[in-house]
Amino acid sequence: MKRSFFAVLAVMLSVSLWGRTPERRVMYTLPPGEVLDIGEYIVQYSLSGSKFALITYNPQTKKSTLVFNGKPIVTSEKYLGDIYTLGYINVDEPDGYVVKVWDGKDYYVNRGGKMEGPYEYVFWDYPEDYEYQYRYGPEPPAMSKNYRYVLADRVYENVDGKRQKSKGVYYLGDIDDDRSNYCVAVNDVLVSYPSPGVLYTAGNNHAYVYRDGNTAYLYINGEWMDTGSTFDNVILNSQGDCVYKRRGEDASGNYCDYLMKNGKVLDSAGYFLIDHINLTADGEVAYTSLNYGKCSLHLPGMPVDSTFEDIHSLIYFDKEHYGFVYKKEGKYYVRIKGLPDKGPYGGVMNFLLNKDGRFIYSYWDSQGLHFKTADGEYGPFDRNWGSYAAFSENGGYVFGYSDDGVVFWNKDGVVRKSDNNGCWMVDLEKNGHNFYSKFEYNYVVIDGVRIGNSAALQARYDEAKNAFVWLSLEGQELVVYEYRLD
Amino acid sequence: MNTVWINCCIAVLFLLLPEVGSGQGRRYAEMYAGECREALDFWELHKADFEVAAKKAGVSPRFLFAVVAPEVSQFGSLMNKAQTYTLKVLYAQNGKAYADFSIGMFQMKPSFVEQLEVCVGRDKTLLVEFSDVRLPADSRDTRVERIKRLDSLEWQMTYLTLFCRVVERRFSNTSFATEEDKLRFYASAYNRGFHLSEERLRQEGKPYFPAFARQKFRYADVALWFYRNVQ
């Protein structure tokens, strides 16, 4: 599903137009006093063709309303959240919504107009990195009609209307909103902890670290494992092994980190800092340490290597498959087992390596930002932060970058301009025609001619119609314009 | 940047400083290690700018950085480029009641700047010191200018400096036990609004930073982590 479906306007109209006067059509008129709700980074609407969903907000009543194809679905004094996390919304389906509703006492799910519930809590199992993918990725994860809910401290899931015991581990937090119980759903069981904490998972295994005053508690699968001043870098594997670092004191009484495995000290040496801990499925542990300015690499079955100024992004699968970024004489390099070291670079980010030997990372030098993969090298691009790199689902690569201020995505070698490019303007070139809208002007320009009375909120070229199509907010009216080019 | 030095510094500070209030910050640094690394890079790159601004703001450079560091750590330029055009159109067209959104490295909102402009207008001292900050009465043109300024790091630094001066004057009778206490207060004011009362700003409240994350942290705790980990 495209990003534009969630956050911005992907207008695909099926309206016939004749001549070169733009057709103006009102899609929706906001009730008096209501405005389009604005999330922190997004306008709360999604459109497809002449169908739409949006959240409106009334500053007088402080109520938010979800409107689906012109029909108010949910009105709430409680913040509805962002449109892409409400549940499921597909404006192309009749009654294509499955959303969470709270009536002040209980939770319900409104499935296309039919209410399900009441429940004590409802949640969707969007991935932990949903926000990251949404903000940085080429496409956000698909929405789901399936949801999970809590009844009498048990967790269930509704899969295509069929109700069954929940599977998987999810952090629910303070579901009673009274700060007394912080819950983790472990399959169908609700495990509660007395304080907010950090959840770590691997398969059905989970670790939970919370703090009470100056004391930290570590629980593995609901069972107490350790108590100390601090636990960090908790890593689990599917066998149920747990590795973490624990703050302690060395023989001289100085504070230091100890590497722990399953509640026992794994490395009797304490370090100023232990970092980049890797735990394999077989229970092997790789990590880096820092002591008195000396950075060391600890790989299973190998001597400790302390010849680096810095090490980061250590990825370890086994003795034949690992990689990391290191610094020597002020320059950064990438080492991948079995390959010549790569570099020197000014800096390296986004290093990813899989067991098949495929890798991707970005680096910068005096020319700008570059990407390097097992298959090639790309750049230089703008030296921007927020660049994104990942393995694609097809076994290739996907990365995003800014080139001369324009955002592009390269997925499996195919480069495309971002759907929603530019923070200042929309600038489209198609078949010798140009569409241009800048936020500070209350009109758009097509082929040098001023058109309309407002800037475009978003615009696109409709290939089937050979037309520029754009959307504007004019007073309380959400308006779609279409301008044929032939 | 000497990363080893920073790592050492982080390690030593982690170990030696009292734990009170920093647990949340540590956990944030753990979960957002890459983002924190980038924010520390930003500090190294712009240290001189913070030093200049800090003199005018009446605080230390690392204090000034720490106030905005959590936002810096969450900033991604791709996100900023890709998602603010529509919001800019709505704000320029209809004002803050319609679209009030975070822009730039320090993630400042137009309404935040509008409040600062009002403060400058009401305070003769600030009016002299920040005469160029004020804009004419609300209109499409002033809103457009405000957005353009917000997209500039130089202007964001000016607004941050002004913010510190405004908070200093607004809470001139407030005493702080330590600079860390003061930082927590300023960070809360930056994140939650400097128009709030001292009592409200001192209340810890529920963690709600970063806005979209499932596991949230107190902004002031994260700011404190940065304060302790830069020099």
Side-chain angles (χ1 to χ4, degrees):
Chain A
M1 208 173 296
K2 301 289 183 190
R3 171 191 298 280
S4 54
F5 176 83
F6 297 91
V8 290
L9 309 176
V11 183
M12 295 178 287
L13 295 172
S14 56
V15 182
S16 296
L17 254 190
W18 305 99
R20 294 175 63 83
T21 304
E23 179 180 299
R24 177 185 186 275
R25 191 159 60 83
V26 177
M27 293 198 70
Y28 184 67
T29 302
L30 292 154
E34 292 201 3
V35 297
L36 271 176
D37 189 40
I38 307 295
E40 177 68 357
Y41 300 105
I42 61 169
V43 182
Q44 303 273 33
Y45 49 38
S46 60
L47 285 93
S48 175
S50 56
K51 313 283 181 55
F52 64 90
L54 52 86
I55 297 177
T56 65
Y57 178 67
N58 188 321
Q60 300 300 316
T61 62
K62 296 190 180 348
K63 287 184 178 177
S64 299
T65 302
L66 171 65
V67 178
F68 187 89
N69 286 329
K71 191 168 67 174
I73 301 300
V74 177
T75 297
S76 174
E77 288 181 22
K78 195 172 183 177
Y79 178 56
L80 283 178
D82 291 313
I83 196 161
Y84 65 91
T85 58
L86 271 178
Y88 173 89
I89 291 177
N90 184 346
V91 295
D92 286 327
E93 287 178 22
D95 298 324
Y97 56 90
V98 185
V99 294
K100 181 165 73 173
V101 182
W102 186 68
D103 70 352
K105 188 176 167 229
D106 294 307
Y107 285 92
Y108 296 83
V109 169
N110 185 333
R111 182 188 293 271
K114 292 177 183 168
M115 300 296 274
E116 296 172 0
Y119 306 120
E120 280 140 31
Y121 193 69
V122 173
F123 64 101
W124 265 257
D125 58 334
Y126 291 129
E128 287 288 335
D129 66 345
Y130 191 96
E131 180 215 346
Y132 182 85
Q133 289 189 39
Y134 177 78
R135 288 170 65 177
Y136 299 105
E139 294 174 357
M143 293 176 129
S144 171
K145 290 182 178 178
N146 303 329
Y147 63 91
R148 289 179 162 78
Y149 59 93
V150 177
L151 276 179
D153 296 339
R154 287 289 172 94
V155 190
Y156 301 88
E157 58 186 321
N158 186 316
V159 181
D160 301 327
K162 187 182 166 193
R163 290 158 194 277
Q164 58 195 42
K165 289 181 177 179
S166 174
K167 288 177 186 164
V169 182
Y170 306 97
Y171 181 71
L172 308 189
D174 179 19
I175 65 173
D176 296 327
D177 225 16
D178 61 2
R179 304 185 197 183
S180 63
N181 278 314
Y182 294 81
C183 296
V184 174
V186 182
N187 296 322
D188 63 326
V189 177
L190 209 55
V191 179
S192 71
Y193 296 95
S195 297
V198 180
L199 175 71
Y200 305 86
T201 63
N204 279 328
N205 297 309
H206 83 276
Y208 190 83
V209 177
Y210 70 88
R211 174 170 292 281
D212 185 3
N214 287 333
T215 306
Y217 299 88
L218 169 64
Y219 282 75
I220 306 296
N221 295 328
E223 300 288 327
W224 172 85
M225 176 166 277
D226 208 347
T227 300
S229 58
T230 301
F231 301 115
D232 283 317
N233 295 74
V234 180
I235 314 283
L236 298 164
N237 68 10
S238 55
Q239 308 295 319
D241 292 323
C242 176
V243 175
Y244 55 97
K245 65 180 185 184
R246 174 186 175 164
R247 186 192 296 183
E249 289 181 4
D250 64 16
S252 309
N254 297 317
Y255 287 111
C256 59
D257 280 343
Y258 284 103
L259 187 66
M260 310 288 292
K261 184 178 178 188
N262 299 334
K264 293 178 182 169
V265 176
L266 187 68
D267 184 342
S268 59
Y271 302 96
F272 272 138
L273 187 70
I274 293 174
D275 212 352
H276 307 106
I277 302 171
N278 283 243
L279 172 65
T280 69
D282 298 334
E284 287 190 317
V285 183
Y287 57 101
T288 66
S289 68
L290 184 70
N291 240 7
Y292 303 106
K294 189 171 72 176
C295 198
S296 301
L297 177 68
H298 305 250
L299 300 180
M302 294 176 67
V304 175
D305 188 345
S306 302
T307 58
F308 309 103
E309 291 169 19
D310 185 24
I311 306 170
H312 69 81
S313 305
L314 170 64
I315 298 170
Y316 182 89
F317 298 103
D318 56 44
K319 63 182 181 180
E320 297 300 328
H321 302 89
Y322 63 85
F324 56 91
V325 178
Y326 69 89
K327 186 180 181 185
K328 268 191 178 173
E329 296 175 357
K331 293 289 180 186
Y332 283 89
Y333 301 81
V334 174
R335 176 169 295 174
I336 297 169
K337 170 74 174 171
L339 297 175
D341 287 4
K342 300 166 202 327
Y345 306 124
V348 178
M349 296 189 296
N350 303 311
F351 175 63
L352 293 172
L353 171 72
N354 69 18
K355 204 173 175 180
D356 299 329
R358 301 188 72 76
F359 65 85
I360 182 170
Y361 60 86
S362 60
Y363 68 87
W364 67 87
D365 57 19
S366 57
Q367 291 184 302
L369 183 77
H370 309 250
F371 288 84
K372 187 164 180 63
T373 72
D375 301 334
E377 190 151 351
Y378 310 84
F381 305 121
D382 300 341
R383 167 72 177 93
N384 271 334
W385 291 358
S387 59
Y388 175 96
F391 294 118
S392 76
E393 64 272 25
N394 305 317
Y397 308 98
V398 54
F399 53 92
Y401 55 87
S402 169
D403 193 8
D404 269 345
V406 181
V407 180
F408 292 90
W409 289 101
N410 183 323
K411 185 173 183 183
D412 298 326
V414 178
V415 179
R416 71 170 173 83
K417 208 165 136 182
S418 170
D419 286 342
N420 184 27
N421 222 311
C423 53
W424 299 106
M425 67 188 80
V426 175
D427 194 0
L428 305 173
E429 287 285 343
K430 281 290 170 183
N431 304 333
H433 296 281
N434 174 253
F435 176 97
Y436 179 58
S437 174
K438 223 173 167 187
F439 85 94
E440 59 260 60
Y441 295 98
N442 56 358
Y443 56 85
V444 304
V445 178
I446 299 178
D447 295 337
V449 177
R450 170 178 171 155
I451 294 172
N453 301 306
S454 56
L457 293 178
Q458 201 195 25
R460 72 177 205 93
Y461 171 71
D462 186 319
E463 198 158 345
K465 296 291 178 188
N466 188 28
F468 287 124
V469 182
W470 71 100
L471 189 135
S472 295
L473 184 71
E474 297 179 350
Q476 292 295 93
E477 293 178 336
L478 203 54
V479 178
V480 170
Y481 286 95
E482 184 171 322
Y483 187 87
R484 288 286 290 261
L485 298 173
D486 45 36
Chain B
M1 181 194 61
N2 186 337
T3 313
V4 172
W5 178 84
I6 283 184
N7 283 343
C8 280
C9 182
I10 290 171
V12 170
L13 286 166
F14 268 175
L15 302 172
L16 299 181
L17 288 167
E19 192 57 38
V20 180
S22 65
Q24 281 252 328
R26 280 180 58 101
R27 272 174 278 192
Y28 176 85
E30 183 70 36
M31 287 187 73
Y32 294 97
E35 284 83 352
C36 290
R37 180 184 284 267
E38 288 182 349
L40 293 172
D41 279 353
F42 179 84
W43 160 252
E44 289 292 325
L45 200 60
H46 295 280
K47 205 170 178 178
D49 299 329
F50 278 103
E51 282 168 355
V52 171
K55 278 182 189 163
K56 199 171 177 183
V59 296
S60 66
R62 68 175 178 140
F63 183 103
L64 197 63
F65 169 68
V67 170
V68 293
E71 296 290 8
V72 173
S73 71
Q74 285 292 318
F75 179 81
S77 58
L78 284 178
M79 175 273 292
N80 199 45
K81 281 180 191 303
Q83 296 182 18
T84 56
Y85 166 78
T86 307
L87 296 165
K88 283 173 180 165
V89 171
L90 288 171
Y91 174 73
Q93 208 167 286
N94 303 294
K96 70 177 179 211
Y98 220 106
D100 195 21
F101 55 103
S102 304
I103 308 177
M105 191 63 80
F106 301 164
Q107 292 289 279
M108 291 173 170
K109 292 182 176 178
S111 64
F112 170 79
V113 173
E114 289 180 30
Q115 285 176 335
L116 289 176
E117 289 170 13
V118 169
C119 291
V120 168
R122 288 177 181 164
D123 187 317
K124 285 181 183 171
T125 305
L126 295 179
L127 196 52
V128 172
E129 290 178 25
F130 296 91
S131 57
D132 53 345
V133 164
R134 289 187 77 199
L135 285 168
D138 188 47
S139 70
R140 183 188 181 87
D141 288 345
T142 57
R143 292 195 292 268
V144 166
E145 175 60 22
R146 201 171 284 122
I147 290 180
K148 287 182 173 176
R149 288 181 175 186
L150 275 169
D151 251 327
S152 129
L153 182 59
E154 190 183 338
W155 268 105
Q156 292 227 340
M157 199 69 88
T158 299
Y159 290 136
L160 176 61
T161 305
L162 173 57
F163 161 79
C164 287
R165 298 281 284 124
V166 167
V167 173
E168 178 199 21
R169 296 173 78 78
R170 177 164 153 64
F171 299 99
S172 56
N173 294 325
T174 302
S175 56
F176 301 102
T178 61
E179 196 173 56
E180 291 195 352
D181 180 36
K182 183 177 171 181
L183 172 69
R184 291 181 63 83
F185 187 84
Y186 275 55
S188 290
Y190 185 77
N191 183 240
R192 296 162 66 186
F194 60 84
H195 61 285
L196 294 177
S197 67
E198 181 185 344
E199 188 185 4
R200 286 281 304 280
L201 290 174
R202 284 196 181 277
Q203 283 169 357
E204 276 223 314
K206 225 174 173 178
Y208 55 92
F209 179 83
F212 289 145
R214 201 175 278 183
Q215 291 191 256
K216 296 184 187 300
F217 302 84
R218 289 186 190 87
Y219 187 90
D221 290 334
V222 179
L224 187 58
W225 184 89
F226 279 104
Y227 177 76
R228 291 175 172 181
N229 289 291
V230 295
Q231 191 180 54

